[in-house]
Amino acid sequence: SCITNDTPWYASAAAAGDADAMAALAQKLHNGMNQEGVGSDQQQAAVLYKKAAELGHVGAMTGLATLLDAGARSLPADGCEALRWWRRAAEEGDGAAQRLLGAAYAAGSCGLPRADVAEAARWMERAAEGEDAEAMQWLSVLYSHGAPGVPSAPER
């Protein structure tokens, strides 16, 4: 199984309803079986992520949202649905989801009517509190320069 990179235990546990196994198998299918992405199946990854997310698996919520945001050959992009799943995961405390939700607000993407830097900063702050380095960097730039709705605060 190490040579072929098979993980039959994920498939059997996922089929039995194990959300952790579903999420792990989805991540493997999302990223591919090796560094070149061989063995990736975005559509099947989305199916497994969604099943695990519906069972409350926070990492699966974030993975599903990321897939939906980007889309793929066999999976159309759906920014509104991505935003919904990122919000659910972010509210559960997932730092990556908080950062990605903040980035969506900052850009006004994923079906949002416009950019909202103040709301982006709120989510980035939550991610930074959880020690998300990318959110910390984003906030440092924001606070050093300020933005509409967010005053400059170099001391932060």
Side-chain angles (χ1 to χ4, degrees):
S1 127
C2 290
I3 294 171
T4 62
N5 204 14
D6 286 338
T7 50
W9 52 89
Y10 283 155
S12 62
D18 185 298
D20 289 331
M22 288 177 203
L25 186 54
Q27 183 176 20
K28 187 173 180 178
L29 290 166
H30 180 173
N31 297 325
M33 307 298 188
N34 60 27
Q35 292 177 339
E36 291 78 36
V38 172
S40 69
D41 182 341
Q42 307 296 301
Q43 193 164 20
Q44 185 59 27
V47 168
L48 288 166
Y49 274 144
K50 187 167 186 178
K51 285 181 181 179
E54 288 171 344
L55 291 171
H57 194 285
V58 177
M61 292 176 196
T62 302
L64 176 59
T66 302
L67 263 179
L68 290 168
D69 180 47
R73 282 179 293 225
S74 60
L75 180 72
D78 186 342
C80 293
E81 190 69 2
L83 196 68
R84 186 175 80 81
W85 283 110
W86 274 329
R87 183 178 312 284
R88 281 189 61 188
E91 289 170 351
E92 291 292 326
D94 185 82
Q98 291 166 343
R99 175 178 31 82
L100 293 165
L101 184 59
Y105 275 104
S109 61
C110 294
L112 292 168
R114 67 187 182 303
D116 184 341
V117 177
E119 184 68 6
R122 188 173 79 79
W123 285 109
M124 290 293 190
E125 285 173 357
R126 288 181 69 179
E129 287 167 3
E131 301 190 15
D132 185 292
E134 290 178 56
M136 290 177 195
Q137 180 183 16
W138 189 91
L139 286 167
S140 72
V141 172
L142 176 68
Y143 291 143
S144 66
H145 300 291
V150 182
S152 177
E155 69 281 358
R156 288 188 86 182

Coordinates of all heavy atoms in Angstrom, one line a residue, residues 63-129:
G63 N -12.4 22.5 3.4 CA -11.9 21.9 2.2 C -13.0 22.0 1.1 O -12.7 22.3 -0.1
L64 N -14.3 21.8 1.5 CA -15.3 21.9 0.5 C -15.4 23.3 0.0 O -15.5 23.5 -1.2 CB -16.7 21.5 1.1 CG -17.9 21.6 0.3 CD1 -17.8 20.8 -1.0 CD2 -19.1 21.2 1.0
A65 N -15.4 24.3 0.9 CA -15.5 25.7 0.5 C -14.3 26.0 -0.5 O -14.5 26.8 -1.5 CB -15.5 26.6 1.7
T66 N -13.1 25.6 -0.2 CA -12.0 25.9 -1.0 C -12.2 25.3 -2.4 O -11.9 25.9 -3.4 CB -10.7 25.3 -0.4 OG1 -10.6 25.9 0.9 CG2 -9.5 25.6 -1.2
L67 N -12.7 24.1 -2.5 CA -13.0 23.5 -3.8 C -14.0 24.2 -4.6 O -13.9 24.5 -5.8 CB -13.5 22.0 -3.6 CG -12.5 20.9 -3.8 CD1 -13.1 19.6 -3.5 CD2 -11.8 20.9 -5.1
L68 N -15.1 24.6 -3.8 CA -16.2 25.3 -4.5 C -15.8 26.7 -5.0 O -16.2 27.2 -6.0 CB -17.4 25.5 -3.5 CG -18.1 24.2 -3.2 CD1 -19.1 24.4 -2.0 CD2 -18.9 23.7 -4.4
D69 N -14.9 27.3 -4.2 CA -14.4 28.7 -4.6 C -13.6 28.6 -5.9 O -13.8 29.4 -6.8 CB -13.5 29.3 -3.5 CG -13.0 30.6 -3.9 OD1 -13.8 31.5 -4.3 OD2 -11.8 30.9 -3.7
A70 N -12.7 27.6 -6.0 CA -11.9 27.5 -7.2 C -12.6 26.8 -8.4 O -12.3 27.1 -9.5 CB -10.6 26.7 -6.8
G71 N -13.4 25.9 -8.1 CA -14.0 25.1 -9.2 C -13.0 24.2 -9.7 O -11.8 24.2 -9.4
A72 N -13.3 23.3 -10.7 CA -12.4 22.4 -11.3 C -13.1 22.0 -12.6 O -14.3 22.3 -12.9 CB -12.2 21.2 -10.4
R73 N -12.4 21.2 -13.4 CA -13.0 20.7 -14.7 C -14.4 20.1 -14.5 O -15.3 20.4 -15.2 CB -12.1 19.7 -15.3 CG -10.9 20.3 -16.0 CD -10.1 19.2 -16.6 NE -9.6 18.5 -15.5 CZ -8.3 18.1 -15.5 NH1 -7.5 18.3 -16.5 NH2 -7.9 17.4 -14.4
S74 N -14.6 19.3 -13.5 CA -15.8 18.6 -13.3 C -16.7 19.2 -12.2 O -17.7 18.6 -11.8 CB -15.5 17.1 -13.0 OG -14.8 17.0 -11.8
L75 N -16.2 20.3 -11.6 CA -16.9 20.9 -10.5 C -17.0 22.4 -10.8 O -16.0 23.1 -10.7 CB -16.2 20.6 -9.2 CG -16.8 21.2 -7.9 CD1 -18.1 20.4 -7.6 CD2 -15.8 21.0 -6.8
P76 N -18.2 23.0 -11.1 CA -18.2 24.4 -11.3 C -18.0 25.2 -10.0 O -18.3 24.8 -8.9 CB -19.7 24.6 -11.8 CG -20.4 23.4 -11.3 CD -19.4 22.3 -11.2
A77 N -17.4 26.4 -10.2 CA -17.2 27.3 -9.1 C -18.5 27.7 -8.5 O -19.5 28.0 -9.3 CB -16.3 28.4 -9.5
D78 N -18.6 27.9 -7.2 CA -19.8 28.4 -6.6 C -19.4 29.2 -5.4 O -19.3 28.7 -4.3 CB -20.8 27.2 -6.2 CG -22.1 27.7 -5.7 OD1 -22.2 28.9 -5.3 OD2 -23.0 26.8 -5.6
G79 N -19.1 30.5 -5.6 CA -18.6 31.3 -4.6 C -19.6 31.5 -3.4 O -19.2 31.6 -2.2
C80 N -20.9 31.6 -3.7 CA -21.9 31.8 -2.6 C -21.9 30.6 -1.7 O -22.0 30.7 -0.5 CB -23.3 32.0 -3.2 SG -23.4 33.5 -4.1
E81 N -21.8 29.4 -2.3 CA -21.8 28.2 -1.4 C -20.5 28.1 -0.7 O -20.4 27.6 0.5 CB -22.0 26.9 -2.3 CG -22.3 25.6 -1.5 CD -23.6 25.6 -0.8 OE1 -24.4 26.5 -0.8 OE2 -23.8 24.6 -0.1
A82 N -19.4 28.5 -1.3 CA -18.1 28.5 -0.7 C -18.1 29.4 0.6 O -17.7 29.0 1.6 CB -17.0 28.9 -1.6
L83 N -18.7 30.6 0.4 CA -18.8 31.5 1.5 C -19.6 30.9 2.6 O -19.2 31.1 3.8 CB -19.5 32.8 0.9 CG -19.3 34.0 1.8 CD1 -17.9 34.5 1.8 CD2 -20.2 35.1 1.3
R84 N -20.7 30.3 2.3 CA -21.5 29.6 3.4 C -20.8 28.6 4.2 O -20.8 28.6 5.4 CB -22.8 29.0 2.7 CG -23.8 28.4 3.7 CD -25.0 27.9 3.0 NE -24.8 26.6 2.4 CZ -25.0 25.5 3.1 NH1 -25.2 25.5 4.4 NH2 -24.8 24.3 2.5
W85 N -20.0 27.8 3.5 CA -19.2 26.7 4.2 C -18.1 27.3 5.0 O -17.7 26.9 6.1 CB -18.8 25.6 3.3 CG -19.9 24.7 2.9 CD1 -20.5 24.6 1.7 CD2 -20.5 23.8 3.8 NE1 -21.5 23.6 1.8 CE2 -21.5 23.1 3.0 CE3 -20.4 23.4 5.1 CZ2 -22.4 22.1 3.6 CZ3 -21.2 22.4 5.7 CH2 -22.2 21.8 4.9
W86 N -17.4 28.3 4.4 CA -16.3 29.0 5.1 C -16.8 29.6 6.4 O -16.2 29.6 7.5 CB -15.6 30.1 4.3 CG -14.5 29.5 3.4 CD1 -13.7 28.5 3.7 CD2 -14.1 30.0 2.2 NE1 -12.8 28.3 2.7 CE2 -13.0 29.3 1.7 CE3 -14.5 31.1 1.4 CZ2 -12.4 29.5 0.5 CZ3 -13.9 31.3 0.2 CH2 -12.8 30.5 -0.2
R87 N -18.0 30.3 6.3 CA -18.6 30.9 7.5 C -18.9 29.9 8.6 O -18.6 30.1 9.7 CB -19.9 31.7 7.1 CG -20.5 32.4 8.3 CD -21.7 33.2 7.9 NE -21.6 34.0 6.7 CZ -20.9 35.2 6.7 NH1 -20.3 35.7 7.7 NH2 -20.8 35.9 5.6
R88 N -19.5 28.8 8.2 CA -19.8 27.7 9.2 C -18.5 27.3 9.9 O -18.5 27.1 11.1 CB -20.5 26.5 8.5 CG -22.0 26.8 8.3 CD -22.8 25.6 7.9 NE -22.8 24.6 8.9 CZ -23.3 23.4 8.6 NH1 -23.8 23.1 7.5 NH2 -23.2 22.4 9.6
A89 N -17.5 27.0 9.1 CA -16.2 26.5 9.7 C -15.6 27.6 10.5 O -15.0 27.3 11.6 CB -15.3 26.0 8.6
A90 N -15.6 28.9 10.0 CA -15.0 30.0 10.7 C -15.7 30.2 12.1 O -15.1 30.4 13.1 CB -15.1 31.2 9.9
E91 N -17.0 30.1 12.1 CA -17.8 30.2 13.3 C -17.5 29.1 14.3 O -17.6 29.3 15.5 CB -19.3 30.3 13.1 CG -19.7 31.6 12.4 CD -21.1 31.7 11.9 OE1 -21.8 30.6 11.8 OE2 -21.5 32.8 11.5
E92 N -17.0 27.9 13.8 CA -16.6 26.8 14.7 C -15.2 27.0 15.1 O -14.6 26.1 15.9 CB -16.8 25.5 13.9 CG -18.2 25.1 13.7 CD -18.9 24.8 15.0 OE1 -18.3 24.2 15.9 OE2 -20.2 25.1 15.0
G93 N -14.5 28.0 14.7 CA -13.1 28.3 15.1 C -12.0 27.9 14.2 O -10.8 27.9 14.6
D94 N -12.3 27.5 13.0 CA -11.3 27.0 12.1 C -10.5 28.2 11.5 O -11.1 29.1 10.9 CB -11.9 26.2 10.9 CG -10.8 25.6 10.0 OD1 -10.3 24.6 10.3 OD2 -10.5 26.3 9.0
G95 N -9.2 28.3 11.9 CA -8.4 29.5 11.5 C -8.2 29.7 10.0 O -8.3 30.8 9.5
A96 N -8.1 28.6 9.3 CA -7.9 28.7 7.8 C -9.2 29.3 7.3 O -9.2 30.2 6.4 CB -7.6 27.4 7.2
A97 N -10.4 28.8 7.7 CA -11.7 29.3 7.2 C -11.9 30.7 7.6 O -12.4 31.5 6.8 CB -12.8 28.4 7.8
Q98 N -11.4 31.1 8.8 CA -11.5 32.5 9.2 C -10.7 33.4 8.3 O -11.2 34.5 7.8 CB -11.1 32.7 10.7 CG -12.0 32.1 11.6 CD -11.4 31.9 13.0 OE1 -10.2 32.0 13.2 NE2 -12.3 31.7 14.0
R99 N -9.5 33.0 8.0 CA -8.6 33.7 7.1 C -9.2 33.8 5.6 O -9.2 34.9 5.0 CB -7.2 33.1 7.0 CG -6.3 33.8 6.0 CD -4.9 33.3 6.0 NE -4.8 31.9 6.3 CZ -5.0 30.8 5.4 NH1 -5.3 31.1 4.2 NH2 -4.8 29.6 5.8
L100 N -9.7 32.7 5.1 CA -10.2 32.6 3.8 C -11.5 33.4 3.7 O -11.8 34.1 2.7 CB -10.4 31.2 3.4 CG -9.1 30.4 3.2 CD1 -9.4 28.9 3.1 CD2 -8.4 30.9 1.9
L101 N -12.3 33.4 4.7 CA -13.6 34.2 4.8 C -13.2 35.7 4.8 O -13.8 36.5 4.1 CB -14.4 33.9 6.0 CG -15.7 34.5 6.1 CD1 -16.6 34.3 4.9 CD2 -16.4 34.1 7.4
G102 N -12.2 36.0 5.6 CA -11.7 37.4 5.6 C -11.2 37.9 4.3 O -11.4 39.0 3.8
A103 N -10.4 37.0 3.6 CA -9.9 37.3 2.2 C -11.1 37.5 1.3 O -11.0 38.4 0.4 CB -9.0 36.2 1.7
A104 N -12.1 36.8 1.4 CA -13.3 36.9 0.5 C -13.9 38.3 0.7 O -14.3 39.0 -0.2 CB -14.3 35.8 0.7
Y105 N -14.1 38.7 2.0 CA -14.6 40.0 2.3 C -13.7 41.1 1.8 O -14.1 42.1 1.3 CB -14.8 40.2 3.8 CG -16.2 39.6 4.3 CD1 -16.3 38.4 4.9 CD2 -17.3 40.3 4.0 CE1 -17.5 37.9 5.3 CE2 -18.6 39.9 4.4 CZ -18.7 38.7 5.0 OH -19.9 38.2 5.4
A106 N -12.4 40.9 2.0 CA -11.4 41.9 1.5 C -11.5 42.2 0.0 O -11.4 43.3 -0.4 CB -10.0 41.6 1.9
A107 N -11.7 41.1 -0.7 CA -11.8 41.2 -2.2 C -13.2 41.5 -2.7 O -13.3 41.8 -3.9 CB -11.2 39.9 -2.8
G108 N -14.2 41.2 -1.9 CA -15.5 41.3 -2.4 C -15.9 40.2 -3.3 O -16.6 40.4 -4.3
S109 N -15.3 39.1 -3.1 CA -15.5 37.9 -4.0 C -16.5 37.0 -3.4 O -17.2 37.3 -2.4 CB -14.2 37.2 -4.2 OG -13.7 36.7 -3.0
C110 N -16.7 35.9 -4.0 CA -17.7 34.8 -3.6 C -19.1 35.3 -3.5 O -19.8 34.9 -2.6 CB -17.2 34.2 -2.3 SG -15.7 33.3 -2.3
G111 N -19.5 36.1 -4.5 CA -20.9 36.6 -4.5 C -21.2 37.8 -3.6 O -22.3 38.2 -3.5
L112 N -20.2 38.3 -2.8 CA -20.4 39.4 -2.0 C -20.6 40.6 -2.9 O -19.9 40.8 -3.9 CB -19.2 39.7 -1.0 CG -19.0 38.6 0.0 CD1 -17.7 38.7 0.7 CD2 -20.2 38.7 1.0
P113 N -21.5 41.6 -2.5 CA -21.8 42.7 -3.4 C -20.6 43.7 -3.5 O -20.5 44.4 -4.5 CB -23.0 43.4 -2.7 CG -23.0 42.9 -1.3 CD -22.3 41.5 -1.3
R114 N -19.8 43.7 -2.5 CA -18.6 44.7 -2.5 C -17.6 44.2 -1.4 O -17.9 43.4 -0.6 CB -19.1 46.1 -2.2 CG -19.6 46.3 -0.8 CD -20.2 47.6 -0.6 NE -20.7 47.8 0.8 CZ -21.5 47.1 1.5 NH1 -22.0 46.0 1.0 NH2 -21.8 47.4 2.7
A115 N -16.4 44.8 -1.5 CA -15.4 44.5 -0.5 C -15.8 45.2 0.8 O -16.5 46.2 0.8 CB -14.1 45.1 -1.0
D116 N -15.5 44.5 1.9 CA -15.8 45.1 3.2 C -14.6 44.8 4.1 O -14.4 43.8 4.7 CB -17.1 44.4 3.8 CG -17.5 44.9 5.1 OD1 -16.7 45.6 5.8 OD2 -18.7 44.7 5.5
V117 N -13.7 45.8 4.1 CA -12.4 45.7 4.8 C -12.6 45.5 6.3 O -11.9 44.8 6.9 CB -11.5 46.8 4.4 CG1 -10.1 46.7 5.2 CG2 -11.2 46.8 2.9
A118 N -13.6 46.2 6.8 CA -13.8 46.1 8.3 C -14.2 44.7 8.7 O -13.7 44.1 9.7 CB -14.9 47.1 8.7
E119 N -15.1 44.1 7.9 CA -15.5 42.7 8.1 C -14.4 41.8 7.9 O -14.2 40.8 8.6 CB -16.7 42.4 7.3 CG -17.3 41.0 7.6 CD -18.0 40.8 8.9 OE1 -18.1 41.8 9.7 OE2 -18.3 39.7 9.3
A120 N -13.6 42.0 6.9 CA -12.4 41.2 6.6 C -11.4 41.3 7.8 O -10.9 40.2 8.2 CB -11.7 41.7 5.3
A121 N -11.2 42.5 8.3 CA -10.3 42.6 9.5 C -10.8 41.8 10.7 O -10.1 41.2 11.4 CB -10.2 44.1 9.8
R122 N -12.2 41.8 10.9 CA -12.7 41.1 12.0 C -12.4 39.6 11.9 O -12.0 39.0 12.9 CB -14.2 41.3 12.0 CG -14.9 40.8 13.3 CD -16.4 41.2 13.3 NE -17.2 40.4 12.4 CZ -17.7 39.2 12.7 NH1 -17.4 38.6 13.8 NH2 -18.5 38.6 11.9
W123 N -12.6 39.0 10.7 CA -12.3 37.6 10.5 C -10.8 37.3 10.6 O -10.3 36.3 11.1 CB -12.9 37.1 9.2 CG -14.4 36.9 9.4 CD1 -15.4 37.7 8.8 CD2 -15.0 36.0 10.2 NE1 -16.6 37.3 9.2 CE2 -16.4 36.2 10.1 CE3 -14.6 34.9 11.0 CZ2 -17.4 35.4 10.8 CZ3 -15.6 34.2 11.7 CH2 -16.9 34.4 11.6
M124 N -10.0 38.2 10.0 CA -8.5 38.1 10.0 C -8.0 38.1 11.5 O -7.1 37.4 11.9 CB -7.8 39.1 9.2 CG -8.0 38.9 7.7 SD -7.2 37.4 7.1 CE -7.4 37.7 5.3
E125 N -8.6 39.0 12.3 CA -8.2 39.1 13.7 C -8.5 37.8 14.4 O -7.7 37.3 15.2 CB -8.9 40.3 14.4 CG -8.3 41.6 14.0 CD -9.1 42.8 14.5 OE1 -10.2 42.6 15.2 OE2 -8.7 43.9 14.3
R126 N -9.6 37.2 14.2 CA -10.0 35.9 14.8 C -9.0 34.8 14.3 O -8.5 34.0 15.2 CB -11.4 35.5 14.4 CG -12.4 36.4 15.2 CD -13.8 36.0 14.9 NE -14.2 34.7 15.4 CZ -15.4 34.1 15.3 NH1 -16.3 34.7 14.7 NH2 -15.6 32.9 15.8
A127 N -8.6 34.8 13.1 CA -7.6 33.9 12.6 C -6.3 34.1 13.2 O -5.6 33.2 13.6 CB -7.5 33.9 11.1
A128 N -5.9 35.4 13.3 CA -4.6 35.7 13.9 C -4.5 35.4 15.4 O -3.5 34.9 15.9 CB -4.3 37.2 13.7
E129 N -5.7 35.5 16.1 CA -5.7 35.1 17.5 C -5.4 33.6 17.6 O -4.9 33.1 18.6 CB -7.1 35.4 18.1 CG -7.2 36.9 18.3 CD -8.7 37.3 18.7 OE1 -9.5 36.5 18.7 OE2 -8.9 38.6 18.8

